[in-house]
Amino acid sequence: MTEMRSRRLMLVHAHPDDESINNGATMARYAAEGAQVTLVTCTLGERGEVIPPELRHLSGAALGGHRLGELKDAMRALGVTDFRLLGGAGRYCDSGMMGLPDNDDPGCFWQADVDQAAGLLAEVILEVRPQVLVTYDENGGYGHPDHIQAHRVAVRAVELAAGAGWDVPKVYWNRVPRSVGEEAFAKLNGELDGLPFEKAGVLDDVPGVVDDERITTVIDGTAYASAKAAAMRAHATQITVADPYFVLSNELAQPLFTTEYYELVRGERPLSRESDLFAGVGEAP
C-alpha cells in the first residue's frame, strides 16, 4: 500500500518520457512539497525512434527494457518514488504511430480492451485515492494511438473507481496556451543560430495547444527547471536537451516549458485561474 499522504496526485501517460515533457516541473514541485505523486505509464515505448546512433541497435523488448531504466533515472531526478507500469511490465506494448501496421498488433495498447485496462488502472486509483488525476484530452494531445487510448482508459478508470468507493475530485488535461506557445517559438527562432539544432519546429508540433481561455490552471515550476531538464535528459533514446530547448527524433527544436498548464475537466471550474492543482480539495483520508 502507498503511504496515505494528505495530497495525492496521479498522472497517466502512454510512454516513458511523456511524463517528463508534459509534467516534469509539476511532478518535481509536488514531490518536493511532500505530496504523494504516482505515475502510471501504459507501455514501455518499444516502438519509439532512437536518437543516439550508439543505441539504435535497440528495438522491441530490448528498447523497452532500456527505456524502463531511463524512466527510473527520470523519476529519481524528479524525486518521485511511486511509478508503475499498467498491468506490469510488458502487459501492453507500444502501438507505433497512427496508421502503421503496428496498430494491429493484438498485444499493443491500441488493441487493448478499454474496460479491462481501465479495471487495472482503477485498482491503482482505489489504492492511492488521488484527489487529482492528470492525463491527455480525447485526441491524446496530438493523435498518437497510445495517447488516445490512455485518455480512454483513464476516463473509464475514474468512472469504475467512483463506483467502487473513490470518486476522484479533480481531473485535468495537459495543455499549452496558444499565446504562450507562440511567444516561446518566436523566442526560439530568434535564438536558433546559437543552438546545436539546425531547425525549429512549429507550434503544431506541441501536444495539447488550445486557446488561452480554456486554461484553468497554471503551475509555476521555474524553481524545478533543472529537475525537469535532468529528467528529460534521462530519456536519452528519445530526447536531446539544450536547455531551455529540446528535440525529439524529428530533430526539430521546441521550447522546454517549466511553467505547465492544465484544463480542469472534472470538478468545479474556477472563476479565475488556479495556481495549485489541489485548489479547493480538502484533506480527506
Side-chain angles (χ1 to χ4, degrees):
M1 288 287 290
T2 299
E3 178 188 352
M4 193 59 71
R5 303 184 193 179
S6 61
R7 296 191 302 166
R8 300 178 298 279
L9 166 64
M10 179 177 290
L11 305 100
V12 179
H13 277 289
H15 316 103
D17 81 351
D18 293 325
E19 80 298 322
S20 297
I21 295 170
N22 287 278
N23 313 114
T26 299
M27 294 172 72
R29 171 182 159 177
Y30 282 111
E33 291 177 355
Q36 171 64 40
V37 179
T38 299
L39 169 67
V40 180
T41 305
C42 297
T43 82
L44 285 172
E46 296 92 340
R47 292 187 167 106
E49 296 181 15
V50 177
I51 295 175
E54 67 273 17
L55 295 176
R56 287 178 188 164
H57 64 281
L58 294 172
S59 62
L63 177 56
H66 187 90
R67 292 189 69 179
L68 177 57
E70 293 181 337
L71 180 62
K72 292 177 180 178
D73 290 342
M75 293 303 95
R76 190 176 301 113
L78 298 178
V80 173
T81 58
D82 185 17
F83 52 97
R84 311 164 186 224
L85 295 168
L86 184 63
R91 178 64 178 265
Y92 301 110
C93 72
D94 189 343
S95 307
M97 298 300 288
M98 186 67 83
L100 296 179
D102 296 331
N103 303 165
D104 299 323
D105 182 343
C108 78
F109 191 47
W110 183 239
Q111 293 296 329
D113 179 89
V114 170
D115 274 357
Q116 182 184 59
L120 295 170
L121 181 58
E123 291 177 5
V124 184
I125 293 174
L126 291 168
E127 175 194 337
V128 175
R129 299 193 172 199
Q131 296 107 333
V132 176
L133 186 145
V134 173
T135 191
Y136 318 104
D137 64 14
E138 64 278 1
N139 189 45
Y142 71 109
H144 191 293
D146 287 333
H147 289 239
I148 295 170
Q149 189 77 319
H151 160 84
R152 294 171 178 170
V153 168
V155 169
R156 180 61 177 142
V158 168
E159 294 173 350
L160 293 174
W166 184 256
D167 193 357
V168 178
K170 302 180 83 173
V171 175
Y172 292 90
W173 300 160
N174 294 303
R175 293 301 192 196
V176 174
R178 192 171 304 281
S179 67
V180 170
E182 289 172 347
E183 182 179 349
F185 273 95
K187 182 180 179 184
L188 164 59
N189 280 294
E191 297 178 353
L192 188 61
D193 287 346
L195 297 175
F197 310 130
E198 293 185 3
K199 296 181 179 179
V202 295
L203 188 55
D204 287 345
D205 295 327
V206 177
V209 175
V210 292
D211 293 339
D212 290 31
E213 58 266 24
R214 294 186 61 175
I215 304 300
T216 60
T217 312
V218 181
I219 301 301
D220 182 357
T222 52
Y224 303 95
S226 60
K228 175 168 181 169
M232 290 175 63
R233 284 190 180 95
H235 292 290
T237 60
Q238 307 300 304
I239 307 172
T240 302
V241 177
D243 195 9
Y245 304 106
F246 71 99
V247 297
L248 301 172
S249 60
N250 60 12
E251 298 184 348
L252 298 175
Q254 57 180 292
L256 192 161
F257 295 107
T258 54
T259 295
E260 294 169 345
Y261 301 86
Y262 300 90
E263 180 181 3
L264 180 67
V265 295
R266 182 183 179 90
E268 185 175 352
R269 191 177 180 93
L271 296 177
S272 58
R273 283 186 177 180
E274 307 168 313
S275 58
D276 180 7
L277 294 175
F278 293 92
V281 172
E283 295 187 353

